[in-house]
Amino acid sequence: MERKTVNLLNFPIDTFSKDEAFNYAKTLLDSAKSSHIVTINPEIIETAKNNPHLERILKEAELVVADGIGIKIGLLIKGKKTDRIAGIDFAKKLIEESAKTGIPIALVGAKQEVLEKTVENLTSQYPDLNIIYTHNGYFDNNEEIIDEIKEKSPKLLLAAMGAPKQEEFIYMAKSILPSTLMIGIGGSFDVWAGNVKRAPKILQKLGLEWLYRTIKQPERFKRIFPTLPKFICSIIEEQYLKKGV
Ligand code: UDP
């Protein structure tokens, strides 16, 4: 299966449908090599514009799915209509798939009690889930944790430490673990632990989950708000003003 990417501000974004993206992720899961799925949003791209290491991480990822309405709008400006793929839903599908076949998985991220509750809830939902390693997301030495993970040989690793921390962790892990599919999923463990509620389905469908989360956690406003218009303006500029230059 070939990737179909469109560049937003020079960052390649995959434009697979939800099903195609999942099928592609399954091939990565079966692969003998390690790989990195990024669920991208405008904030990560804006950060990466001033952070060459993060830029490299995003450009070398094996699959970059459009999380966040901002990316969807950006791709529309570029003439490409895509599905929005929420990282939390995508990761849940990977968990379901792993439970079916007993694929060994590792969970890294969130506070200890959140992590424990996540494990409890996931295993009661999927009794066959084969969780072979867990660690909370508060540590200083990435390499130490990755070495511990390597001993356990997971095929799937979910990193929930927020971006860009989780992306840096995964990038380093990609160079150390031989064959693990890894995905960064931000605050998903808080949701799975039952501490944070997702937006009602209707808002999710309308692409307004970010609005709900911003109202619930107003501190997110500072993070999201100035970024989104800036990001959209840069794409418009890229698409219409720099053409032919
Ligand atoms: N977190 C972590 N280690 C850190 C900082 C944050 O594990 O050093 C966790 C935090 O407990 C929370 C998640 O990362 O569970 C970040 O959630 P946020 O909602 O900020 O991420 P987003 O979904 O917006 O990327």
Side-chain angles (χ1 to χ4, degrees), residues 109-111 137-138 160-163 165-166 185-187 190 213 220 223:
K111 297 200 180 104
Y138 295 84
M161 294 165 269
K165 198 173 172 178
Q166 64 199 16
I185 50 172
D190 297 285
R213 291 177 79 189
R220 295 180 77 89
R223 216 175 82 185

Side-chain angles (χ1 to χ4, degrees), residues 7-208:
N7 279 1
L8 290 186
L9 308 179
N10 284 326
F11 290 89
I13 319 284
D14 286 280
T15 60
F16 286 137
S17 69
K18 257 186 201 168
D19 288 344
E20 286 171 339
F22 187 63
N23 286 334
Y24 191 74
K26 278 203 285 191
T27 65
L28 296 175
L29 192 58
D30 291 339
S31 152
K33 284 207 281 190
S34 282
S35 43
H36 182 184
I37 302 178
V38 176
T39 66
I40 205 152
N41 60 36
E43 294 125 72
I44 307 179
I45 292 188
E46 287 297 326
T47 309
K49 274 165 49 182
N50 304 310
N51 177 338
H53 182 58
L54 183 60
E55 179 182 349
R56 183 167 173 181
I57 293 174
L58 299 181
K59 289 184 173 169
E60 290 182 15
E62 280 67 20
L63 178 65
V64 181
V65 297
D67 200 346
I69 188 79
I71 300 292
K72 221 184 132 151
I73 297 172
L75 289 170
L76 267 181
I77 294 169
K78 293 252 159 165
K80 184 74 201 167
K81 196 169 179 303
T82 46
D83 288 346
R84 179 191 162 223
I85 301 180
I88 187 167
D89 297 328
F90 202 72
K92 208 52 184 291
K93 285 185 77 172
L94 288 170
I95 287 179
E96 252 172 57
E97 183 68 22
S98 307
K100 269 195 234 155
T101 45
I103 283 174
I105 81 171
L107 306 181
V108 180
K111 297 200 180 104
Q112 186 61 25
E113 64 272 20
V114 171
L115 176 69
E116 283 169 18
K117 191 73 187 142
T118 296
V119 171
E120 190 186 317
N121 289 349
L122 287 177
T123 39
S124 81
Q125 202 179 351
Y126 305 101
D128 296 329
L129 198 61
N130 184 14
I131 300 176
I132 51 156
Y133 180 88
T134 62
H135 200 289
N136 66 56
Y138 295 84
F139 49 85
D140 295 322
N141 190 334
N142 281 352
E143 209 169 339
E144 206 173 279
I145 303 297
I146 296 166
D147 285 341
E148 279 182 21
I149 296 174
K150 192 175 178 199
E151 301 257 304
K152 306 279 182 184
S153 311
K155 277 301 285 173
L156 176 67
L157 189 159
L158 308 178
M161 294 165 269
K165 198 173 172 178
Q166 64 199 16
E167 316 311 329
E168 281 157 8
F169 178 81
I170 292 176
Y171 188 72
M172 183 184 265
K174 203 161 73 165
S175 68
I176 297 174
L177 306 179
S179 95
T180 307
L181 172 63
M182 294 168 271
I183 178 166
I185 50 172
S188 299
F189 292 177
D190 297 285
V191 176
W192 293 341
N195 290 5
V196 172
K197 277 216 167 8
R198 288 193 72 187
K201 279 260 166 351
I202 178 77
L203 291 184
Q204 289 182 33
K205 279 222 162 73
L206 291 171
L208 293 176

